[in-house]
Amino acid sequence: MKFSYRWLSELVEGLDTDPRELTRLITMKTAECEGVEHVATLLDQASPARVISVEPIGDSHNRRVVVETPAYGVRTLVCGAPNCRPGLMTVYVPVGRKVIEGVESDGMLASGKELGVNNDHEGIVELDPEFPFASDWIIEVDNKSLTHRPDLWGHLGMAREVAAITGRRVTDPVRMSLLPQGESAILVEIENYELCSRYSALLFENVTVRPSPLWLQYRLEAIGLNPINNIVDVTNFVLAELPQPMHAFDAAKLRGGKIIVRPARPGESVPALNGETYATDSSNLLICDAEGPVAIAGVIGGMESSISDSTTSIVLESANFNAASIRKTSTRLKLRTDASMRFEKSQDPLNTARGLARAVELLQQVSPGIRLVGGLVDNWRQAPAPPPVTLPLDWMDRKLGTELPADEVRRILESLHFTVKSKSDRVLSVAVPSWRATRDVSIKDDLVEEVGRMVGYASITPAPPQTPTVVPPGNPERVFEHRIRDLASAQGFTEVYNYSFFSDEMLKAFRMDADSLVEVANPIASDRRFLRNSLVPGIWKNIVDNVRHLDYFRFFEIGKEIHLRPGLPPEERPRFLAAIYSRQDATPALFELKRLAECLLKTVRVDMDAEPREFEHPRRVGLVRCGDSDVGRLFEFHPNLVETGRAAVLDLDLTMLQVLQPPVKPYQPLRRFPTSAFDLSVIVPPRSKAGDLHSVLAAAAGESLVEIDFLRTFALPDGSNSISYRITIGASEKTLSNEDVTAIREQLIAAVQARGWSIRG
Amino acid sequence: MLAERIARIQSTALSKIESAGKLEELEAVRVEALGRKGELALLSKELGKLAPEERAEAGKLLNAAKQALESRLEDRKRVFAAAALNLRLESEWLDLTLPAPGIRPGSLHPVTRIQREIEDLFTSLGFTVVDGPEVETEHYNFDALNIPPSHPARDMQDTFWLTDGHLLRTHTSPMQVRAMEKFGAPLRVIAPGRVFRNEEVDASHEHTFYQLEGMMIDRDVSVAHLIYFMKTLLSHVFRRDVTVRLRPGYFPFVEPGFELDGQCMICGGSGCPVCKQSGWLELLPCGLVHPNVLRSGGIDPEQWNGFAFGLGLTRLAMMRYKIDNIRLLLGGDLRFLTQF
C-alpha cells in the first residue's frame, strides 16, 4: 500500500515531520515501511506556461515554441507535441538546454508522464487552474503488515496513526451534511445480511464523463492507481482515502430501477470490466438489477453497466460486504482487486454513507452541474456495537514488563480514538472506534499492543524471568540423530539435505508408481508433485550431479520418508542414508559402509537374502539386520542408474537403529587364565558365504570361544575359495591344556567337514 | 714381578680399548684380557704360588686392574651404543609433511551447525527440543494458531496442500500447540525443522527451508523477558553483543506481535546494501502468545501466558556464512557442502 505524504499532510493538521523520519516512525509504531520515494520531483522547479507562438521548423514534426512563464519569463524551445498550440496553458520545466534542428532550445514543455502526474505521453500537459506545483513523497507500506488493519488501507487511517505518533490532530475530510435527505429514487434488496450488512447508494444525473482535473490524476498516479475518468477516479479516491471501495454504475444501463444483492445462481456468469467473463457459483455474491447480474460484489463491476463517455446518470454504490465471502470469491476467481483486498480485511460498515458524502463533494468539483436525484438509499442491518474492553493496568504492566502511569495509558488510547473510562483506580474500560472494531481490536491483549507500540518497546528493559530451575524433558531421538551426524562426518561423510519431493527425473529413473506416493494437490512445478517415500532417489541425484566435478566422494543424509497409508494420515519415517561413489570398483565402498553400519550399531550383520530391487546391483545387495530385526539395506547401484563409476549405498531405519542400541549392562570380568589361539583355513566352493563358515565355527567352538578373527580369503585355481580364521579359545576356570586345544580344534574341523568343506594344508 | 705383568696387561688392554673402532673389537679385548681364559685369568691362577701376604697384595692389584678395564670397557661400549643409536635415528628421517593416510573427516550441513548451537543454548536455558511432523493438518498449521479458513493471513503463506487434505507445514508454529498439548504449562520448548512454501524459487526464495520455533509459558511472561531471550539468542549466534529493536509486526498467533530487528552486522547500523540502507536487519518475528492459541493448546490464558518466536535458520546460516544463493543449501553440491 502506497501513501502520499501530501495527502497525509492534508489530513494531519500542521504535519511537518520529514517524510523519511515519518517513514521510520511509522515502521517503529504502526506497520513496516518498505521504503520512501521522492516522486514528481520535476514539479518543484516547473512553472505554468502560456504558449505564445508555435512555428514550424522545415519539414520536421518539431516546432519552435515561445512560452511565457511567471517563474522564468519568456523562453524559446523546441517541442514536438501535437497538442502544442498558441494560447495553451501548460507546464514548463527549465531542464535541457541544447540545439535541436538548428534552434537553441531552452528547457522543455512536459507531458503528464514526464511530470509523474498521470500516464499520458501523447502530448504536453494541458494545465487546469487548481494544479499544485509540488513534488510528493510516497511511503510504501508492506501489505502483509496491514493484514489486520482494515483502516490502514486508506489515507485517513494512516493519518490517524500519524497524528497519534506526532501528537497532532487529524482532520476528517467527510461532511455528512452533504448527503441528500428524502425519499430515494432507487430500491435496494439484500437477500442475506450476513454477506452484505449494508448497502448505501446515490443516484446522480446531468453527469459529464471526462478526464479528471490534473490534481486528482496526480493523487491517484502517485499511489499507483491509474486515472481513468472523473467518475471512476472519484470512486478510487474515496477507496484510497477512507478507505471505502465504491462502484459507479451507468444508471441508464440498470434495468428495472432496483438493485438486488444475492448469491449467484447456478450457471450465472458476469462479463466484467476487465474484459473477462467470470463463471460464478452460489459462494459468490452478486449485485443484480431486475434482470440479472451487473457486478461481482466487492470484487469487480460488470462491463455492461460500466461508465462510458456517453454516461449521463450514475448510481454510486457504497456497500459493506462480508470479508470471508469476498476473500473466497476473489480466491476462487483468481481476481484480486483494490476493492477485494480492502473488503477481505473487514471494513467498517459506518463508512458506506461517509464514502458517499465524500463522493458528493468530489463529484461536484470534477463534474460541474451534476445533480443528486432523491435521497440516500441505505439498506442496513446494524450490528450492536461491541462492548467496551476491560483493561486492568497492573495486568498490562506485567505483560509488558514495565510500569506505566494510568494517565499515560489513557492519553495513548485516546490519541488512537479509543474512548476511555475508569472503572477503578487501576482498571480502565475502553470502547473501540468502529474502524478498529470489525476484527482488529476486541480483547485486552489487543490493547497491550496499542499501548506498547505507542510507548515504544525501546523503553522496556530486557530482564531474565524468575522461574524455578527444573530439568526439561529430554529428546533422546534428537540426541541420537546428532550423535549419528557426528559419527558419520568423523568417518568422512559430508551431510546433504535433499528436497522432500521426487522430481520427474527421479520418478522416471526409479520407475515409480505415482499411485503409491503422497501427492500435492496444488503443485506449481512438476518437480514438486510427489513426496518422497525413500531417500534413495535423492541420493542418486546427488551422485549423478557430483560425478561431474568429483572422482570420489562420501556423503550422508538424515531425512524423513513420507508414506501413503490408505485411510490414515501419511506416515513419516526418519532414515539415515550414506553413499560412497568411486570411479573404480565399489567393493571397498560397500565394506566401508558396512563398517559405518557397525559403528552406528555394534551388533548389526548383513544377510544376503534380499530380493534385489530394479535399481540395485542384483549380486551386491544385502539386508542389514540385528537379531531378528531388519534395520536397512546395503547395496551397490545398478549400472543402469550410475553409468560412469560405481556407487554404494547404506539405507538405515533411524528408529530401529535407536531402538536396537544395546542396553547398559555390567562389564564382563577379565579372564584369569590365558587363552589359546589357532588358525584354520577352510576350502569352500565358489560363492560360499564367509558368514556361514563363521557361524559353523562359532557353533562348534561353543562355550570355549573367545574370539573369531577373519584373516584372509583368496580364490584357488579351481574356482573354490580358501577362507582363513584365527580362533581364540579359553576356559574361565583353568588354562586349557594342549589336549584340550587339540580336541576343540578337531571338533571345529569335524563341523567344517560335516558341511562338505575341507581344511586346507 | 707379578705387579709389573699386571700393569703391562692393563696398559696394553687399555690402549687396545682406546683404539677399538667398533663393538666387536671391544669384545675381543674383553675376551683377551678379562675372559675366562684371558690374560688376567691366567695370571690369577699363578696367585696360588705366592706367599700369603704377596698373594693378598697381588690379588688386590689384579682386582683393581679388572675393575679399571671393565669400567673403561663399559664407558666405551656406551659411546659406541650411543653412536649406533644416533646413526639409526638419523637414518629414520621421516617426511611428516606427507598427507596422513585414511579418510578426511566429512562436514556437517551449515544449517545443522547453526541449529545445534541454538539447541545447545536453549537446552542450557532449560528448554526442551521437540520435533514434529512435516505433513501437518490444517488444524495445527492454521486453525489452532488463530488463523481460520477465511483469514487473509493465510495468503501470507503459500501452502502445499496434499490430495488427502493434509498440508506440508508452512512454519514450525504448529509445534506451539503440539507442545502445549503434550507438556502443558509451564513450558519451555524450541522446535527446529523443515518447512515448505509453495512459491517460485530464486536466489533468495526456496520452497523448502528451515525454521526454529521457540515458546515459553509461565505465570507472568512479559515483553521484557522476550527481549532478554532474543538478545541472548542473537548474541550467542553472532558471537557478539547485538543491538536489537522491537517494532509492531502482525502474526495472528501472537498479540502483541513484533518484528525484532538486529543492528546490521555488516555496516554496524550506518546503512549498506545488505540492510537496504536501513541499518537494521529483520531477524525474528515474535510476540506474546495469543490467548486463542493458549486455549487451542488446552492452557487457560487467565492463569498462564507466554512468548513465542520464529527464527529463520536458513536465513541465519546464510547470514553467518555469507551465502548469497539459497538454492545451494538443498542443491547437494559437495563442492559447497564440504566447506563447512
Side-chain angles (χ1 to χ4, degrees), chain A residues 28 32 327 398-399 449 473 475 478 482 486 489 495 497-500 519 521-522 528 546 560 572, chain B residues 106-107 109 112 115-116 119 129 131 134-135 150 155 159 161 163 194 198 206 223 248 255 282 332 334:
Chain A
M28 291 308 292
E32 180 172 337
R327 202 185 111 81
R398 287 200 304 276
K399 276 257 183 185
E449 168 144 57
N475 183 343
R478 181 160 283 274
H482 285 329
D486 287 341
S489 71
E495 186 178 27
Y497 284 13
N498 285 320
Y499 294 109
S500 301
E519 187 178 355
N522 59 338
R528 296 173 225 165
N546 280 289
K560 285 176 171 175
E572 297 177 27
Chain B
S107 301
H109 196 278
T112 296
Q115 178 181 324
R116 282 175 69 171
E119 284 181 19
V129 186
D131 293 293
E134 289 167 8
V135 174
S150 66
D155 285 347
T159 309
W161 291 94
T163 47
R194 172 176 282 211
N198 195 5
E206 249 291 14
V223 177
E255 185 67 63
E282 199 173 296
L334 292 168

Side-chain angles (χ1 to χ4, degrees), chain A residues 165-387:
Chain A
I165 292 169
T166 57
R168 297 180 184 278
R169 285 172 43 154
V170 73
T171 314
D172 187 352
V174 175
R175 287 190 287 151
M176 292 297 276
S177 59
L178 294 176
L179 287 175
Q181 304 293 319
E183 198 172 325
S184 58
I186 14 170
L187 187 68
V188 171
E189 284 174 17
I190 298 174
E191 253 186 35
N192 183 343
Y193 285 94
E194 290 296 321
L195 301 177
C196 172
S197 65
R198 187 177 187 185
Y199 195 106
S200 315
L202 286 174
L203 175 61
F204 295 85
E205 61 179 15
N206 202 29
V207 173
T208 322
V209 179
R210 60 180 190 185
S212 294
L214 279 182
W215 71 262
L216 177 51
Q217 295 192 36
Y218 177 26
R219 267 290 136 82
L220 298 178
E221 183 72 26
I223 59 163
L225 293 172
N226 287 332
I228 293 170
N229 59 46
N230 54 349
I231 308 302
V232 174
D233 291 354
V234 163
T235 64
N236 279 336
F237 186 95
V238 177
L239 163 130
E241 187 174 64
L242 292 186
Q244 173 63 44
M246 298 180 118
H247 183 67
F249 295 100
D250 185 330
K253 307 270 175 66
L254 289 180
R255 299 153 295 187
K258 72 174 178 181
I259 285 169
I260 304 153
V261 185
R262 60 157 172 85
R265 305 214 166 108
E268 274 184 320
S269 61
V270 185
L273 272 175
N274 59 2
E276 304 281 328
T277 296
Y278 293 94
T280 53
D281 67 21
S282 61
S283 70
N284 309 132
L285 192 66
L286 299 182
I287 310 298
C288 306
D289 63 12
E291 291 179 29
V294 292
I296 302 170
V299 181
I300 196 164
M303 180 65 101
E304 297 271 312
S305 57
S306 65
I307 304 301
S308 68
D309 291 347
S310 57
T311 301
T312 56
S313 60
I314 60 170
V315 169
L316 200 56
E317 162 197 296
S318 183
N320 190 278
F321 301 111
N322 175 285
S325 153
I326 295 298
R327 202 185 111 81
K328 218 171 184 176
T329 296
S330 143
T331 307
R332 202 183 79 80
L333 302 180
K334 296 191 172 58
L335 180 62
R336 301 202 74 203
T337 59
D338 289 309
S340 76
M341 275 196 297
R342 284 170 175 79
F343 280 127
E344 69 173 33
K345 309 293 185 293
S346 294
Q347 287 300 328
D348 177 7
L350 294 188
N351 248 348
T352 64
R354 284 169 48 79
L356 288 173
R358 182 68 170 135
V360 167
E361 183 174 9
L362 292 164
L363 285 172
Q364 283 165 352
Q365 283 179 52
V366 304
S367 177
I370 195 169
R371 282 194 303 272
L372 278 157
V373 182
L376 172 73
V377 192
D378 197 7
N379 194 337
W380 188 12
R381 197 173 69 184
Q382 195 168 2

Side-chain angles (χ1 to χ4, degrees), chain B residues 93-109:
Chain B
W93 179 86
L94 187 62
D95 181 2
L96 291 173
T97 67
L98 285 171
I103 301 163
R104 303 275 85 74
S107 301
L108 292 179
H109 196 278

Side-chain angles (χ1 to χ4, degrees), chain A residues 24 26-32 144-145 147-148 323-324 327 331 336 344-345 395 397-401 439-440 443-449 453 457-458 460-470 472-475 477-478 482-483 485-486 488-501 518-525 527-528 531-532 542 545-546 549-550 553-557 560 562 568-570 572 592 595, chain B residues 103-109 111-113 115-116 119 123 126-136 149-156 159-164 166 168-169 183 188 192-194 196-201 206-208 210 216 218 220-229 231 245-250 255-259 261 282 288-292 301-302 305-306 327 329-335 337-338:
Chain A
R24 193 190 68 80
I26 292 171
T27 292
M28 291 308 292
K29 307 230 177 224
T30 303
E32 180 172 337
K144 283 180 188 173
S145 70
T147 306
H148 60 311
R327 202 185 111 81
T331 307
R336 301 202 74 203
E344 69 173 33
K345 309 293 185 293
W395 172 86
D397 283 352
R398 287 200 304 276
K399 276 257 183 185
L400 287 172
R439 170 182 269 166
D440 177 18
I443 55 175
K444 58 188 176 179
D445 302 75
D446 298 327
L447 296 174
V448 174
E449 168 144 57
R453 68 190 177 95
Y457 297 115
I460 296 172
T461 312
Q466 312 283 313
T467 52
T469 309
V470 283
N475 183 343
E477 291 83 7
R478 181 160 283 274
H482 285 329
R483 218 188 82 205
R485 282 193 169 93
D486 287 341
S489 71
Q491 301 287 341
F493 294 82
T494 289
E495 186 178 27
V496 302
Y497 284 13
N498 285 320
Y499 294 109
S500 301
F501 303 95
V518 179
E519 187 178 355
V520 173
N522 59 338
I524 57 169
D527 63 346
R528 296 173 225 165
L531 297 186
R532 60 176 177 181
N542 296 142
D545 290 348
N546 280 289
H549 311 290
L550 304 165
F553 49 88
R554 297 175 178 80
F555 63 96
F556 77 98
E557 182 181 8
K560 285 176 171 175
I562 298 170
L568 288 169
E572 297 177 27
E592 198 185 317
R595 199 180 75 88
Chain B
I103 301 163
R104 303 275 85 74
S107 301
L108 292 179
H109 196 278
V111 172
T112 296
R113 289 191 172 277
Q115 178 181 324
R116 282 175 69 171
E119 284 181 19
T123 307
F127 284 62
T128 295
V129 186
V130 294
D131 293 293
E134 289 167 8
V135 174
E136 260 298 0
S150 66
H151 201 289
R154 286 207 178 186
D155 285 347
M156 290 159 78
T159 309
F160 281 107
W161 291 94
L162 304 181
T163 47
D164 68 352
H166 282 80
L168 295 179
R169 64 175 172 188
F183 299 109
R188 273 179 274 180
R194 172 176 282 211
F196 306 85
R197 300 279 168 89
N198 195 5
E199 56 187 34
E200 297 298 341
V201 171
E206 249 291 14
H207 57 71
T208 302
Y210 284 78
M216 172 173 180
D218 218 302
D220 279 310
V221 178
S222 71
V223 177
H225 300 146
L226 170 64
I227 305 175
Y228 168 81
F229 276 100
K231 250 183 101 70
R245 71 173 193 188
L246 217 56
R247 56 184 171 80
Y250 173 66
E255 185 67 63
F258 315 111
E259 286 283 5
D261 298 336
E282 199 173 296
L288 299 186
V289 183
H290 196 286
N292 290 351
E302 292 302 318
N305 69 339
R327 287 170 294 195
L329 292 168
L330 275 84
D333 191 329
L334 292 168
R335 293 172 302 166
L337 293 167
T338 49

Side-chain angles (χ1 to χ4, degrees), chain B residues 15-311:
Chain B
S15 77
K16 282 184 181 169
I17 288 170
E18 295 314 319
S19 64
K22 50 186 179 185
L23 211 54
E24 291 77 16
E25 289 173 25
L26 274 186
E27 180 61 11
V29 177
R30 189 190 67 79
V31 171
E32 193 183 331
L34 297 168
R36 264 195 299 149
K37 293 176 184 170
E39 289 167 314
L40 290 179
L42 292 177
L43 261 188
S44 70
K45 286 179 185 164
E46 294 176 25
L47 289 184
K49 299 171 189 167
L50 297 179
E53 58 276 25
E54 283 175 325
R55 194 183 331 169
E57 185 66 17
K60 274 184 195 164
L61 284 172
L62 203 63
N63 275 336
K66 268 187 185 172
Q67 279 169 13
L69 287 177
E70 275 168 0
S71 136
R72 191 59 198 146
L73 270 171
E74 281 311 307
D75 287 351
R76 289 288 288 159
K77 269 189 193 168
R78 270 200 288 275
V79 170
F80 282 125
L85 184 61
N86 279 340
L87 208 64
R88 197 193 101 201
L89 295 178
E90 185 55 39
S91 72
E92 286 174 352
W93 179 86
L94 187 62
D95 181 2
L96 291 173
T97 67
L98 285 171
I103 301 163
R104 303 275 85 74
S107 301
L108 292 179
H109 196 278
V111 172
T112 296
R113 289 191 172 277
I114 209 146
Q115 178 181 324
R116 282 175 69 171
E117 281 178 30
I118 297 172
E119 284 181 19
D120 291 346
L121 170 73
F122 277 97
T123 307
S124 78
L125 290 168
F127 284 62
T128 295
V129 186
V130 294
D131 293 293
E134 289 167 8
V135 174
E136 260 298 0
T137 61
E138 190 174 353
H139 170 76
Y140 284 110
N141 198 76
F142 291 125
D143 299 336
L145 292 170
N146 202 30
I147 316 174
S150 66
H151 201 289
R154 286 207 178 186
D155 285 347
M156 290 159 78
Q157 302 171 352
D158 296 311
T159 309
F160 281 107
W161 291 94
L162 304 181
T163 47
D164 68 352
H166 282 80
L167 52 84
L168 295 179
R169 64 175 172 188
T170 57
H171 46 190
T172 42
S173 307
M175 289 310 295
Q176 291 188 15
V177 180
R178 287 185 177 273
M180 284 190 280
E181 287 176 345
K182 185 169 177 188
F183 299 109
L187 177 68
R188 273 179 274 180
V189 290
I190 57 165
R194 172 176 282 211
V195 301
F196 306 85
R197 300 279 168 89
N198 195 5
E199 56 187 34
E200 297 298 341
V201 171
D202 62 31
S204 48
H205 295 89
E206 249 291 14
H207 57 71
T208 302
F209 54 98
Y210 284 78
Q211 286 186 341
L212 185 143
E213 196 78 8
M215 182 182 226
M216 172 173 180
I217 293 174
D218 218 302
R219 290 292 175 192
D220 279 310
V221 178
S222 71
V223 177
H225 300 146
L226 170 64
I227 305 175
Y228 168 81
F229 276 100
M230 298 304 95
K231 250 183 101 70
T232 305
L233 164 62
L234 293 174
S235 303
H236 183 81
V237 169
F238 292 106
R239 297 177 180 142
R240 63 163 121 156
D241 195 43
V242 177
T243 306
V244 302
R245 71 173 193 188
L246 217 56
R247 56 184 171 80
Y250 173 66
F251 311 96
F253 36 97
V254 285
E255 185 67 63
F258 315 111
E259 286 283 5
L260 186 129
D261 298 336
Q263 201 161 58
C264 179
M265 328 301 148
I266 310 294
C267 63
S270 58
C272 70
V274 173
C275 59
K276 294 177 192 155
Q277 305 303 330
S278 71
W280 296 92
L281 291 171
E282 199 173 296
L283 294 175
L284 274 164
C286 51
L288 299 186
V289 183
H290 196 286
N292 290 351
V293 176
L294 289 170
R295 278 184 211 107
S296 297
I299 290 176
D300 179 0
E302 292 302 318
Q303 298 293 317
W304 303 92
N305 69 339
F307 67 70
F309 63 90
L311 183 67

